[in-house]
Amino acid sequence: MIQALPSLEAVLDRDCEQRVEPGYLEAVQARPGHRVLLFQAGKAPVHGNALAFLDPAGVAGGLPADTLTIYLGKTVDGSHPTLPDGTDLVLKVLADDAGAPALLPEGAEFLGYRDAAGLLSAADAAIFIQAQAVANWHNSHPRCPRCGAATESEWAGWMRRCTVDGSEHFPRTDPAVIVAIVGADEKILLASNFAWPANRYSTVAGFVEAGESAEQAAVREIAEEVGVKLHAVEYLGSQAWPFPRSLMLGFLAHTADTVPVPDGVEVREARWFSREELQSAVLSGDAGIPGRLSIARELIEHWYGGPISEPGDAAATVAGVRA
Ligand SMILES: [Zn+2]
């Protein structure tokens, strides 16, 4: 099992059955206990190490008329470190060119997910991901794919309806596979992409094509990018990754091949690591691996058998390797 990601328990109850009712958003916003999360151009306000949720009294009337309002959900009991159980969260998506709102508390700033994720709790990171995913979809689907007419947001922001033919359109997600490759000697094969710093290594990922199963996509992508043939793939878990709209399906896979062949297009180098080699390479700075709260890191640590220590950790000692 993947441990930190993904939890079976969502942070927010999206109230899917009720949110389709007309007037639902208005009813939520009439309740003083709800909180507002602003979102603009892929960024949300962060204060210290938490998302800055605003009191609705401070937001009223202060946002442009074309701001999109979306119901995110209410906090599941015990799921959030600071918000009370059952707190309704409303997302306000400002147009990219609306100008930064002057509503933020002192010290808060708009950050993108990659800059914020290292600061945030897992609960806030999950809320950020949900906000990013639904905001991306609205921003990229202003028109009907059938007739080209404008669409309008309904169902508290979870459906867009064509203003001409009435067709209903829902948030899209693109499935992608991400694979930790294990060899016959239990070493892991990690790849370094041309787009990354030379010593950064990670698992291999790629999109599922139309008409293809996730398992077939894993086998195909791994053969294409690092040139090894997988003979077993095991699904471990998934992570929403809305950049712009992926759902990462995580696999642990095995190969009998020992000599990787990087494609030379995306992948610059593919390198085998034993558990001891990887931990020592990370601590010495010889290899960088994906950050915590990413499914790539979870897959690597699943193979490793526990957390991998980094140079900046409070106690940068080599974590025990489970046999
Ligand atoms: Zn239409």
Side-chain angles (χ1 to χ4, degrees), residues 213-238:
S213 74
E215 291 80 1
Q216 290 164 350
V219 171
R220 176 182 55 75
E221 281 287 344
I222 296 309
E224 287 172 3
E225 295 198 9
V226 293
V228 300
K229 181 176 167 57
L230 301 180
H231 61 75
V233 296
E234 176 194 0
Y235 174 70
L236 292 183
S238 64

Side-chain angles (χ1 to χ4, degrees), residues 144 146-149 162 164-165 167:
C144 174
R146 288 166 53 160
C147 75
C162 176
V164 170
D165 60 30
S167 57

Side-chain angles (χ1 to χ4, degrees), residues 254-302:
H254 289 86
T255 182
D257 293 345
T258 55
V259 181
V261 184
D263 68 1
V265 179
E266 263 185 79
V267 178
R268 171 188 12 225
E269 185 198 355
R271 178 171 162 190
W272 291 105
F273 293 90
S274 69
R275 291 180 176 85
E276 292 77 5
E277 285 164 352
L278 183 61
Q279 177 61 88
S280 123
V282 169
L283 281 181
S284 72
D286 178 39
I289 56 173
R292 297 183 173 118
L293 291 181
S294 70
I295 193 167
R297 177 64 166 257
E298 291 293 327
L299 292 169
I300 294 168
E301 293 190 338
H302 178 88

